[in-house]
Amino acid sequence: MKTFVSYLSDYAQKNNISLSLISVIETIVEACIEISNQVRLGDLSGILGEAGTGNIQGEQQKKLDVLANHILIEQLSNNKKVAGIASEEEDNFVCLNSEQEYLVLFDPLDGSSNIDVNISIGTIFSILRKSGEKLEEKHFLQAGKEQVAAGYVLYGPQSILVLSFGQEVLMFTLNDKQDFIPNTQVVSIPNQTQEFAINMSNQRYWEPPMQQYIHGLLQGKEGERQKDYNMRWVASMVAEVHRILIRGGIFLYPKDSRETTQNGKLRLLYEANPMSFIVQAAGGKASSLASDILDIKPQKLHQRIPVVLGASEEVDFVEQLHMN
Ligand code: P6P
């Protein structure tokens, strides 16, 4: 039996987690191993570049976006526990086994602008439960705190699976036998940080409190924060969140004055919610600056939301600036 499968079944037994949920996670992980293999081949398999199609987000799809989406839907359609899926790359939800218990929501390949330049990308997934009735869109529109599990696979120098059922964060590394091996490190986000992640090129569009916050960081030791900060921006949320899980930090994608990002850029259901679930399980905080992200009742499948997540005291500081 594969190490990952035996580890997860032991974990399920110890933590009273349903074997149906474990089977859904195993299906997602199998799909991500297939995606990892395709990502690693890059130009050798002719899957780089544009697909020549667009998605409901108004974004040009990459060939790998379309392929990753197809792999996940095909694998999940074979799991009889999955009622349906919602994907960044699908206009509407896809019904699979309507009366079944689990819903899987995903961004099949987050950060796909990085694909052709060989920078880390990833698959983000969120799992919800539903009652036995016929599947409708309303079943997907649950607050993030209702998630029964969430995770991502980061396709970087290593392929790393991060998974949480809400209490702690589990981490696994894909070995050369296509098996995810449990990592030994404990995942915990420090309350304070000296590293922030934001796309500075959008600065002129931010609201004044966000301008004030970032200005304070850039002033360093001489400024009100009285310490120097470092900045990172990978333009791949999975990579930014992973860095924060490993060495701390704060990630910000605020709303701004542009029409397309007046509610932020990141999607609530399959980016912000799963990442917030993981960050909070690791002792961090995730806020839309109007509320905890996990408390937000979604109104639409592809709803966008401002995201500020990571070191809890730093997120508190940003929230405070926006309340004054
Ligand atoms: P920008 C990737 O497209 C993504 O959805 C996130 O992974 C990432 O954090 C963000 O958008 C990057 O956005 O505007 O910097 O390209």
Side-chain angles (χ1 to χ4, degrees):
M1 187 191 245
K2 284 197 165 187
T3 308
F4 176 68
V5 170
S6 57
Y7 179 93
L8 210 55
S9 66
D10 289 350
Y11 189 86
Q13 206 161 15
K14 283 189 202 116
N15 295 277
N16 194 26
I17 295 166
S18 100
L19 293 180
S20 299
L21 174 55
I22 295 299
S23 96
V24 173
I25 290 169
E26 285 170 358
T27 301
I28 294 168
V29 168
E30 276 308 311
C32 290
I33 290 173
E34 199 179 331
I35 294 168
S36 176
N37 293 337
Q38 291 297 325
V39 166
R40 303 235 164 282
L41 284 173
D43 195 46
L44 299 179
S45 64
I47 41 114
L48 296 185
E50 305 290 334
T53 51
N55 60 19
I56 194 169
Q57 322 290 342
E59 297 163 344
Q60 284 308 304
Q61 293 173 306
K62 300 281 190 181
K63 288 178 190 170
L64 254 177
D65 281 323
V66 175
L67 179 60
N69 187 55
H70 172 75
I71 290 170
L72 278 156
I73 294 175
E74 189 182 28
Q75 292 262 16
L76 288 165
S77 60
N78 296 326
N79 187 312
K80 296 306 169 215
K81 298 296 179 189
V82 180
I85 68 99
S87 166
E88 176 175 300
E89 304 303 337
E90 296 291 330
D91 294 5
N92 303 301
F93 72 89
V94 177
C95 185
L96 297 176
N97 308 285
S98 183
E99 282 76 26
Q100 279 303 323
E101 191 178 355
Y102 291 105
L103 304 176
V104 182
L105 304 87
F106 53 81
D107 179 354
L109 213 53
D110 174 63
S112 41
S113 63
N114 288 325
I115 294 172
D116 296 353
V117 294
N118 199 24
I119 292 175
S120 297
I121 49 183
T123 298
I124 308 172
F125 59 89
S126 165
I127 304 176
L128 295 169
R129 186 179 277 122
K130 77 172 227 349
S131 59
E133 65 197 42
K134 187 174 174 314
L135 181 61
E136 296 175 49
E137 183 173 282
K138 70 179 182 182
H139 294 118
F140 290 89
L141 303 180
Q142 299 179 45
K145 63 191 172 192
E146 302 302 329
Q147 292 172 100
V148 289
Y152 61 78
V153 176
L154 174 63
Y155 311 113
Q158 307 97 40
S159 284
I160 292 191
L161 164 66
V162 169
L163 172 64
S164 180
F165 296 92
Q167 282 67 44
E168 60 181 327
V169 175
L170 308 174
M171 221 171 254
F172 307 81
T173 302
L174 190 63
N175 71 6
D176 55 0
K177 296 181 178 59
Q178 305 271 288
D179 193 9
F180 275 109
I181 307 303
N183 289 15
T184 51
Q185 72 220 72
V186 175
V187 182
S188 175
I189 301 174
N191 296 338
Q192 298 181 349
T193 186
Q194 289 183 247
E195 189 161 73
F196 70 100
I198 196 166
N199 183 338
M200 286 299 292
S201 69
N202 299 330
Q203 183 185 22
R204 62 190 181 281
Y205 303 120
W206 299 333
E207 296 181 316
M210 189 55 71
Q211 302 260 6
Q212 179 190 346
Y213 170 64
I214 298 295
H215 178 68
L217 302 186
L218 295 175
Q219 285 184 310
K221 277 201 284 287
E222 294 72 44
E224 60 184 65
R225 304 304 304 276
Q226 298 178 325
K227 61 181 179 179
D228 289 339
Y229 282 76
N230 186 38
M231 196 205 97
R232 286 286 181 272
W233 190 250
V234 184
S236 177
M237 187 185 194
V238 185
E240 317 276 11
V241 168
H242 194 71
R243 185 187 57 248
I244 289 170
L245 289 179
I246 300 299
R247 72 182 193 210
I250 185 168
F251 168 90
L252 308 101
Y253 211 112
K255 63 182 177 181
D256 62 39
S257 57
R258 293 171 294 176
E259 193 192 343
T260 51
T261 39
Q262 60 187 323
N263 295 311
K265 175 182 181 183
L266 301 175
R267 275 59 56 151
L268 174 59
L269 284 179
Y270 39 79
E271 289 175 323
N273 272 346
M275 292 312 212
S276 300
F277 188 79
I278 292 165
V279 162
Q280 294 206 174
K285 184 167 183 179
S287 172
S288 68
L289 299 180
S291 84
D292 268 14
I293 285 176
L294 296 181
D295 290 339
I296 296 172
K297 176 73 174 75
Q299 301 305 313
K300 293 186 293 184
L301 218 44
H302 300 290
Q303 178 174 341
R304 294 175 190 257
I305 199 84
V307 176
V308 176
L309 58 75
S312 56
E313 289 181 22
E314 197 67 20
V315 174
D316 286 342
F317 185 91
V318 183
E319 283 184 324
Q320 199 55 48
L321 283 179
H322 285 74
M323 286 171 192
N324 295 342

